Amino acid sequence: GQSLEQPSEVTAVEGAIVQINCTYQTSGFYGLSWYQQHDGGAPTFLSYNALDGLEETGRFSSFLSRSDSYGYLLLQELQMKDSASYFCAVRTGGFKTIFGAGTRLFVKA
Amino acid sequence: NAGVTQTPKFRVLKTGQSMTLLCAQDMNHEYMYWYRQDPGMGLRLIHYSVGEGTTAKGEVPDGYNVSRLKKQNFLLGLESAAPSQTSVYFCASSPGDSSYEQYFGPGTRLTVT
């Protein structure tokens, strides 16, 4: 079967750095995406990695290692507004995307 | 641009009733998707469409039907609702084959009693 594994919860302090890991096992792989979702809101796109390495977008960075079927999202200079759920998602063949169960990030003052 | 819109925002159904959820996008996107989100399970793909007049099954298609008669609209139907279909339903769209970013609507919270 296909699966994506990510931690269910992470807690960090305002101003700190936090890393959310994602390991995947899928029948096809075109790329790894990350989405943010605040309570009651819709998922919003954060980043995408198709090739190995680090992609940086402001305070957020995302890393991919295809040989290890592993990626992570790195959030720097944490702010209270970063408290949300973060989903990794793999784009498989046939225009489909498989989502992980999500990691709930709590940012404390 | 409104982006992706969904109607209704909330709905309560009795078991066995039917309903249609409407998704509309004004970005001229080719691909559209319907997901359901249940607590602790992330988003699961129900059906998707790669263009006007086309539809395909996702991970959890049973109990749902879809139609894409117009490029901008993607309808999700429940013919005979069941309590197991209580969920939050999200519609999403993306531009085309090489695109990876999906744009999500605000969601429809459906309760089946």
Side-chain angles (χ1 to χ4, degrees):
Chain A
Q2 306 194 96
S3 66
L4 281 77
E5 298 290 333
Q6 51 182 129
S8 59
E9 285 185 10
V10 173
T11 301
V13 178
E14 197 174 16
I17 299 173
V18 71
Q19 179 174 313
I20 300 174
N21 299 321
C22 175
T23 57
Y24 59 88
Q25 184 175 12
T26 59
S27 57
F29 182 85
Y30 284 77
L32 181 69
S33 300
W34 289 92
Y35 286 81
Q36 178 191 59
Q37 185 180 31
H38 286 98
D39 284 348
T44 56
F45 174 81
L46 291 176
S47 68
Y48 178 77
N49 296 68
L51 302 176
D52 290 355
L54 191 69
E55 296 281 344
E56 296 180 75
T57 309
R59 295 188 297 114
F60 294 1
S61 302
S62 56
F63 172 83
L64 174 66
S65 169
R66 287 175 300 170
S67 60
D68 294 323
S69 297
Y70 164 75
Y72 66 72
L73 179 69
L74 192 72
L75 295 82
Q76 302 182 70
E77 301 172 15
L78 279 174
Q79 301 175 10
M80 298 299 290
K81 67 178 182 179
D82 296 329
S83 292
S85 293
Y86 293 83
F87 296 88
C88 60
V90 168
R91 187 166 178 236
T92 65
F95 316 109
K96 296 180 184 179
T97 300
I98 308 295
F99 284 78
T103 298
R104 195 166 178 86
L105 171 64
F106 297 95
V107 180
K108 301 190 300 184
Chain B
N1 287 351
V4 180
T5 58
Q6 294 182 231
T7 53
K9 287 184 170 51
F10 303 93
R11 184 73 186 267
V12 178
L13 286 180
K14 294 186 187 304
T15 298
Q17 288 184 320
S18 64
M19 78 164 294
T20 300
L21 282 68
L22 172 64
C23 175
Q25 53 95 3
D26 62 1
M27 297 174 283
N28 201 35
H29 285 173
E30 289 293 332
Y31 298 173
M32 297 187 75
Y33 314 82
W34 275 108
Y35 293 92
R36 60 177 290 173
Q37 185 174 35
D38 302 299
M41 297 190 71
L43 291 151
R44 291 184 293 167
L45 183 64
I46 304 170
H47 286 280
Y48 64 99
S49 168
V50 300
E52 182 179 311
T54 72
T55 62
K57 294 180 180 180
E59 298 174 75
V60 288
D62 295 342
Y64 306 94
N65 56 76
V66 288
S67 65
R68 182 118 182 253
L69 299 179
K70 293 183 178 181
K71 185 176 184 179
Q72 64 267 35
N73 295 337
F74 195 28
L75 278 63
L76 178 72
L78 287 73
E79 289 187 347
S80 179
S84 61
Q85 294 178 305
T86 294
S87 188
V88 180
Y89 291 86
F90 286 100
C91 174
S93 70
S94 61
D97 189 23
S98 62
S99 69
Y100 44 81
E101 179 177 354
Q102 294 187 23
Y103 297 78
F104 284 82
T108 295
R109 187 173 295 275
L110 175 67
T111 301
V112 183
T113 61

